[in-house]
Amino acid sequence: MKQLQAEEFNQLYNDVNMPSENADHSSVIQMPYKQFGLKVQKQDEAVEEGNDKLFTGEWMSDYEYYDEHDQDDKSLYGTPDPSIPASNVPCGGCGALLHCIEPNIPGYLPSQLFKGKSKEQLLTTICQRCHFLKHYNVAINVTVSADDYIAMLSAMKTKKALAILLVDILDFPCSIWPGLAEILGPQRPVIVVGNKVDLLPQDCAGYLENVRQCLTKSIIESGFSRNNIKHVSLISASTGYGVEELITKIHNVWGTRGDVYLVGCTNVGKSTLFNALLRSDLCKVQATDLIQKATASPWPGTTIRMLKFPILRPSDYRLYLRTNRLKQEQYIQRANQRLRREQSRAVINPVQHPTLLGHIGRTFENEQEEAFDHFSVTQRSGGPTPILTLNEKNEKYVNSKWCYDTPGVVQPDQILDLLTTEEILLTISKQMIRPRAYLLKTGMTLFVGGIGRIDYLNGPESIRVILYAAHTLPTVICNTSDADALYKDLLGTQLLGVPFGNSDRLDKFPPLEYGPDILVQGTVEKHITICDILLSSAGWIGINLPKHNEAIFRAWTPDKRGIYVRQPALLPNGLALRGKRIRGSLAYRLGETFKPR
């Protein structure tokens, strides 16, 4: 079993867990555990691993001194070796000291590329992160320790800078670092960006506004002042949806008054957004070349280096040209909207989902189209001067404002650091979520894989609940009195899915623990979801409770991490998306991604 490699590879291997086109999403089957009163929903099948170069590990052959005989056939990304001490040789791209200890730490090289290499060889080497950026045009995020993360962000307190706080819309507040508002400073201007909105099903016509309000409430509850929140944006960094609007808002509320920092925990999509902004009107035209040169020259800074690009100053004339371009491209947005509506009507295969689409363009395609200004990092006399260094103290760059991509960190409420790479890929949603509805009776338990559990302890004889989680996480329903024995019996099997591995791996996996009992009071109409019960990064369960009724639940996660009650619910009309009830079962068929009109 490979060691955890966290967020950096999630964005590279989006297709690893695409389900089989013939997978049966709706059936519920009886398993030979009748003594438990068990019903199990089938887990989607996953396609075989592809031959993509990035995925198979063949990318290491790009290194000059790589010996393919050193490659472990079972390794996809190269393997770390914590027993080898770090070198005192900085990466030629980002300046972090090269090592093979841990993939999540800046300066990492697989042990196959690090061990036995001379200092002279390492001096001409760049780390894995810079390598992917230079050769594959992909910015790989890295994670750091909690102490380093806090120290890095605390350094912003004395700077005039805008914080772009990225939040995983499928995992909040678990993807918001605790105490972040205090770390950034009480006067810090913040633009909140809810990412992965394309993965949310549409439960009503105005669902995005409901999501925005729910996210804003959570951010304020996390300690941010409403006055400091300059804007709340919903985007999809992977499809481009909402990114142009975000750039316009950055121009309007901030311009180039100071630097811009992308901050957020692991798996929120900072690197994907950084890549998108790198090719947008937020950065200078030559930024791509600049970043590539950063992989071949020293990068001065703190112990933890950050990828960055220079921000293009949004003068009135440039904004005028940008506005004209956006108006001309509105037809693309309208076409995307029509496409989405047509897809929603035509979807037959439940694996295929229509999604929110966007277009990210550029107003200036070459340097000559940019008017000279004192923020420029190149001299216009005699043509552009090649960039040979990234020393910010150089007079050429002293007036530049920069957009930084900060390393990620695992939030204490997340369970991602407990999982291997393969388990993360099964846990994190990569496709639009299709709601799974169940009829729970008092004294029954619903398992979400082996990493989440909810008990219905008391209340009406039966209620309907909706699960929003990755389709690759199977579900199991049983009597609460049998749940402990059942979990012990099924852990490590396909019936629970995650976690998996040998007995040693499963013995070390933290047990499911529960927090305080959750009292839910019905205050709205029968078909409205009253609240969400979050199960850390595994997903959440929407509770539908008739008005004037009360119900008591108990939620379980590994080490009781990330158990929250979110009220109002993120998708209050989600019950309208449910499929038909399966005869003789407690489950409904897979729901729709759009509310029928």
Side-chain angles (χ1 to χ4, degrees), residues 190 216-217 220 223-231:
V190 176
T216 303
K217 181 175 182 291
I220 294 175
F224 286 89
S225 169
R226 185 181 295 271
N227 293 332
N228 290 351
I229 301 175
K230 302 305 178 183
H231 182 65

Side-chain angles (χ1 to χ4, degrees), residues 115 220 247 261 357 386 571 583:
K115 291 193 296 186
I220 294 175
I247 295 169
Y261 286 81
L357 302 174
L571 299 171
R583 182 176 299 179

Side-chain angles (χ1 to χ4, degrees), residues 3-176:
Q3 297 296 314
L4 172 68
Q5 298 192 23
E7 177 191 7
E8 60 265 45
F9 291 107
N10 288 353
Q11 63 181 12
L12 300 179
Y13 314 127
N14 290 341
D15 297 330
V16 174
N17 290 296
M18 294 289 288
S20 167
E21 292 185 0
N22 298 321
D24 184 354
H25 289 254
S26 59
S27 61
V28 172
I29 59 176
Q30 296 283 350
M31 301 303 297
Y33 295 93
K34 294 182 179 179
Q35 66 270 31
F36 297 116
L38 169 68
K39 291 180 183 293
V40 184
Q41 186 169 9
K42 287 183 179 179
Q43 180 180 1
D44 293 330
E45 299 176 358
V47 298
E48 296 181 357
E49 297 170 356
N51 294 321
D52 187 271
K53 186 174 183 179
L54 293 179
F55 181 70
T56 59
E58 294 179 6
W59 59 270
M60 289 193 291
S61 62
D62 294 331
Y63 281 91
E64 182 178 357
Y65 52 79
Y66 170 65
D67 185 353
E68 62 182 3
H69 297 294
D70 292 338
Q71 172 72 12
D72 181 357
D73 291 339
K74 297 181 180 180
S75 172
L76 302 176
Y77 327 113
T79 52
D81 188 345
S83 65
I84 305 298
S87 72
N88 59 359
V89 178
C91 165
C94 65
L97 296 181
L98 295 175
H99 66 90
C100 64
I101 298 173
E102 167 60 44
N104 303 323
I105 301 176
Y108 170 76
L109 270 176
S111 60
Q112 292 89 342
L113 299 172
F114 183 82
K115 291 193 296 186
K117 302 305 182 291
S118 66
K119 181 177 181 179
E120 288 71 23
Q121 287 177 311
L122 293 179
L123 283 172
T124 61
T125 302
I126 56 178
C127 69
Q128 184 186 71
R129 188 190 194 199
C130 292
H131 180 88
F132 274 106
L133 183 68
K134 180 176 182 179
H135 293 279
Y136 301 105
N137 213 22
V138 173
I140 302 175
N141 202 20
V142 296
T143 57
V144 295
S145 69
D147 292 340
D148 287 338
Y149 185 73
I150 293 174
M152 175 188 63
L153 295 186
S154 296
M156 293 176 55
K157 282 188 175 181
T158 59
K159 296 182 179 180
K160 186 176 182 179
L162 171 71
I164 298 182
L165 172 59
L166 260 73
V167 179
D168 185 349
I169 209 70
L170 306 182
D171 189 22
F172 74 91
C174 295
S175 58
I176 304 173

Side-chain angles (χ1 to χ4, degrees), residues 504-521:
D504 183 60
R505 155 75 175 153
L506 297 177
D507 289 341
K508 293 180 180 179
F509 193 81
L512 296 182
E513 300 181 21
Y514 62 88
D517 290 350
I518 300 170
L519 173 64
V520 178
Q521 296 179 326

Side-chain angles (χ1 to χ4, degrees), residues 485-496:
L486 176 67
Y487 181 80
K488 182 178 180 181
D489 195 48
L490 296 184
L491 188 65
T493 70
Q494 290 186 352
L495 299 179
L496 289 182

Side-chain angles (χ1 to χ4, degrees), residues 285-520:
V285 171
Q286 74 274 27
T288 300
D289 181 55
L290 182 149
I291 297 298
Q292 289 176 346
K293 287 185 179 295
T295 65
S297 57
W299 188 321
T302 60
T303 303
I304 302 173
R305 273 66 174 184
M306 293 177 282
L307 292 176
K308 60 184 179 180
F309 63 75
I311 299 173
L312 177 66
R313 187 169 74 89
S315 64
D316 291 342
Y317 179 66
R318 288 171 179 164
L319 290 179
Y320 168 76
L321 295 178
R322 171 177 164 78
T323 301
N324 285 342
R325 177 182 64 82
L326 292 178
K327 288 181 178 180
Q328 294 173 3
E329 293 177 352
Q330 284 183 352
Y331 75 92
I332 297 179
Q333 299 177 7
R334 290 193 292 268
N336 285 335
Q337 293 173 356
R338 288 195 299 270
L339 175 62
R340 189 166 186 251
R341 287 195 296 268
E342 292 171 0
Q343 286 178 327
S344 66
R345 301 189 191 102
V347 166
I348 298 176
N349 188 337
V351 176
Q352 300 173 351
H353 309 304
T355 187
L356 293 173
L357 302 174
H359 173 74
I360 305 174
R362 298 206 66 164
T363 304
F364 310 103
E365 296 297 336
N366 58 70
E367 297 183 49
Q368 302 304 322
E369 295 177 357
E370 293 184 13
F372 176 81
D373 64 84
H374 68 279
F375 286 89
S376 178
V377 297
T378 60
Q379 292 180 341
R380 297 299 171 191
S381 58
T385 302
I387 298 174
L388 301 176
T389 180
L390 281 175
N391 184 358
E392 297 179 40
K393 296 182 180 179
N394 187 292
E395 61 180 0
K396 296 180 181 179
Y397 320 124
V398 70
N399 289 323
S400 296
K401 306 304 178 185
W402 300 79
C403 178
Y404 291 89
D405 176 24
T406 64
V409 65
V410 176
Q411 209 259 35
D413 282 332
Q414 293 179 314
I415 60 174
L416 299 180
D417 60 324
L418 303 177
L419 307 178
T420 64
T421 300
E422 291 86 350
E423 291 167 346
I424 289 177
L425 292 170
L426 291 173
T427 303
I428 301 301
S429 296
K430 294 298 182 183
Q431 297 179 351
M432 183 178 288
I433 293 177
R434 296 177 69 86
R436 286 179 273 181
Y438 301 92
L439 187 69
L440 279 189
K441 298 182 179 181
T442 51
M444 301 197 76
T445 289
L446 171 66
F447 282 99
V448 182
I451 53 179
R453 166 183 166 182
I454 186 168
D455 302 340
Y456 180 27
L457 301 181
N458 196 11
E461 181 180 355
S462 63
I463 61 170
R464 286 178 291 197
V465 299
I466 311 171
L467 171 64
Y468 300 91
H471 61 272
T472 44
L473 283 178
T475 57
V476 175
I477 299 177
C478 67
N479 295 323
T480 302
S481 58
D482 301 320
D484 291 339
L486 176 67
Y487 181 80
K488 182 178 180 181
D489 195 48
L490 296 184
L491 188 65
T493 70
Q494 290 186 352
L495 299 179
L496 289 182
V498 176
F500 58 85
N502 56 33
S503 58
D504 183 60
R505 155 75 175 153
L506 297 177
D507 289 341
K508 293 180 180 179
F509 193 81
L512 296 182
E513 300 181 21
Y514 62 88
D517 290 350
I518 300 170
L519 173 64
V520 178

Side-chain angles (χ1 to χ4, degrees), residues 466 468 524-532 541-545 568-569 571-575:
I466 311 171
Y468 300 91
V524 294
E525 291 78 6
K526 181 178 180 181
H527 297 290
I528 299 298
T529 302
I530 186 64
C531 69
D532 297 328
I541 295 173
I543 305 298
N544 286 79
L545 187 65
L571 299 171
N573 299 288
L575 198 61

Side-chain angles (χ1 to χ4, degrees), residues 527-588:
H527 297 290
I528 299 298
T529 302
I530 186 64
C531 69
D532 297 328
I533 298 179
L534 277 73
L535 302 175
S536 188
S537 305
W540 72 93
I541 295 173
I543 305 298
N544 286 79
L545 187 65
K547 198 171 184 178
H548 307 306
N549 281 267
E550 292 184 348
I552 300 177
F553 299 88
R554 181 174 293 166
W556 307 59
T557 60
D559 289 336
K560 58 183 178 184
R561 296 189 185 185
I563 298 175
Y564 288 95
V565 177
R566 186 167 57 202
Q567 193 169 10
L570 187 65
L571 299 171
N573 299 288
L575 198 61
L577 302 175
R578 73 187 186 279
K580 294 182 178 180
R581 176 87 175 272
I582 300 174
R583 182 176 299 179
S585 170
L586 298 174
Y588 292 78

